[in-house]
Amino acid sequence: MTYQTIIVETAEGGVGVIRMNRPKALNALNGQITDEIFTAMEAFDADENIGCIVLTGSDRVFAAGADIKQMADSSATDMMLGDDFTDWSRMSRINKPIIAAVSGYALGGGCEIAMMCDMIVASETAQFGQPEINLGILPGAGGTQRLTRAVGKAIAMEMCLADRRLNAEEAARYGLVNHVFPVERYMDETLALARKVAGMSQVAARLTKEAINQSFELSLNDGLNYEKKNFYLLFGTEDRQEGMNAFIEKRKPTWKNR
Ligand code: DAK
């Protein structure tokens, strides 16, 4: 598959890297780039050699939001049918862990697509915001929901109602991002984290990601039951046997992802 708006590469250790690349539009997310991002993610998800996916932009900008020029003439029905605007829920169906490596602007849909990833590593120049209110709209891909769960009501309200931007250090303090590194290092550090995740059993990683995500959907009791079922399920895998044997035999496990 050839892509026009993203660069897709594989990195050492089973890591798939997707780099958004519409520099003139500050990686504004139109239908083409979102379709390409989700298509590339789906391909990595189906590739047994890939254990973790990294989504990134450039050092200047992660993504400045959905493409305002594309949306400007859309009707409510256009937006609802998603003709111009790919179905973002495709990303929720990716089973492999995804890490966002964010530098510069992560605004509107840019902040939202970062929050759809499982972890966020930021450079010191990262800036997170939901400025949609300036356009007379509200966030449409998780800015009122995932952001509130991540940073709490007070900060989410200020970000969505008053266009408060979080710098990288604030985003780390409020629990939105995992790590902050100087701009020269954030990508290498993201790849190191991704390699670590990719080095785990893929079946264990998949069921772990799924169980954590269920904590946003279920009551505590239902979530604990969900976790337990996934835990029991892993006892049926070759990797569980290998992981425990390797521990007892004081060696590194060799995963079969089965
Ligand atoms: N859309 C389209 N073009 C954009 C853009 C955007 N979001 N952001 C920047 N650009 C373009 C600019 O128009 C400019 O193009 P030219 O004029 O050169 O042709 C070029 O990128 C460079 O931008 P600037 O000249 O403005 O650069 P500055 O460094 O001065 O400023 C900035 C950078 C990021 C502060 C500024 O560009 C800015 O404020 N951009 C808009 C940020 C914003 O409001 N984002 C929220 C957009 S609404 C949904 C999914 C997602 C969404 C909704 C629904 N569903 C699945 C239902 C999301 C909605 C949004 O994100």
Side-chain angles (χ1 to χ4, degrees):
M1 171 102 190
T2 51
Y3 298 104
Q4 262 104 51
T5 59
I6 59 172
I7 297 166
V8 177
E9 291 165 346
T10 52
E12 194 194 328
V15 177
V17 180
I18 300 168
R19 184 179 292 281
M20 295 177 278
N21 188 37
R22 286 188 78 205
K24 286 191 184 140
L26 303 188
N27 291 337
L29 300 165
N30 62 9
Q32 182 181 12
I33 190 169
T34 47
D35 183 50
E36 291 190 0
I37 292 167
F38 303 146
T39 301
M41 282 183 179
E42 286 158 1
F44 280 141
D45 207 29
D47 182 345
E48 280 210 24
N49 297 313
I50 297 297
C52 186
I53 301 166
V54 170
L55 177 66
T56 193
S58 65
D59 291 348
R60 180 182 179 211
V61 60
F62 181 72
D67 193 319
I68 299 166
K69 292 165 188 168
Q70 180 172 350
M71 281 189 293
D73 295 323
S74 297
S75 67
T77 320
D78 292 335
M79 293 304 287
M80 189 180 72
L81 296 178
D83 284 340
D84 296 341
F85 225 67
T86 313
D87 173 14
W88 285 41
S89 65
R90 283 168 70 189
M91 191 164 158
S92 319
R93 295 191 286 276
I94 302 295
N95 294 306
K96 289 185 181 155
I98 310 171
I99 305 176
V102 176
S103 187
Y105 300 110
L107 301 179
C111 185
E112 290 171 312
I113 206 168
M115 291 191 292
M116 290 177 82
C117 297
D118 302 307
M119 292 180 260
I120 303 178
V121 175
S123 89
E124 283 169 350
T125 67
Q127 187 187 114
F128 298 86
Q130 299 291 163
E132 287 88 341
I133 193 132
N134 297 325
L135 304 169
I137 57 172
L138 83 162
T144 67
Q145 303 299 305
R146 291 192 184 91
L147 181 67
T148 307
R149 284 164 167 81
V151 303
K153 175 180 161 180
I155 303 296
M157 283 285 185
E158 196 177 349
M159 290 174 73
C160 294
L161 290 174
D163 187 15
R164 168 158 178 204
R165 311 276 169 97
L166 297 187
N167 63 32
E169 183 272 317
E170 290 170 320
R173 186 160 13 110
Y174 296 133
L176 185 61
V177 313
N178 293 69
H179 302 283
V180 179
F181 295 106
V183 73
E184 309 77 45
R185 273 182 48 212
Y186 78 99
M187 198 57 206
D188 286 345
E189 297 284 355
T190 307
L191 291 174
L193 178 60
R195 266 197 306 278
K196 192 164 187 189
V197 173
M200 305 298 176
S201 157
Q202 286 183 20
V203 280
R206 174 178 172 154
L207 294 188
T208 302
K209 167 172 170 165
E210 196 181 281
I212 292 174
N213 281 333
Q214 284 299 318
S215 74
F216 295 104
E217 313 291 337
L218 302 175
S219 68
L220 178 60
N221 205 37
D222 288 347
L224 289 169
N225 281 331
Y226 196 98
E227 177 188 78
K228 220 180 312 173
K229 297 256 164 61
N230 279 8
F231 179 80
Y232 296 150
L233 188 52
L234 286 174
F235 273 73
T237 64
E238 294 176 41
D239 282 356
R240 193 280 309 174
Q241 189 75 64
E242 166 65 7
M244 293 189 176
N245 286 347
F247 174 81
I248 292 163
E249 293 160 17
K250 299 187 186 301
R251 60 174 174 82
K252 280 197 162 176
T254 305
W255 306 123
K256 290 192 181 146
N257 302 321
R258 288 282 178 274

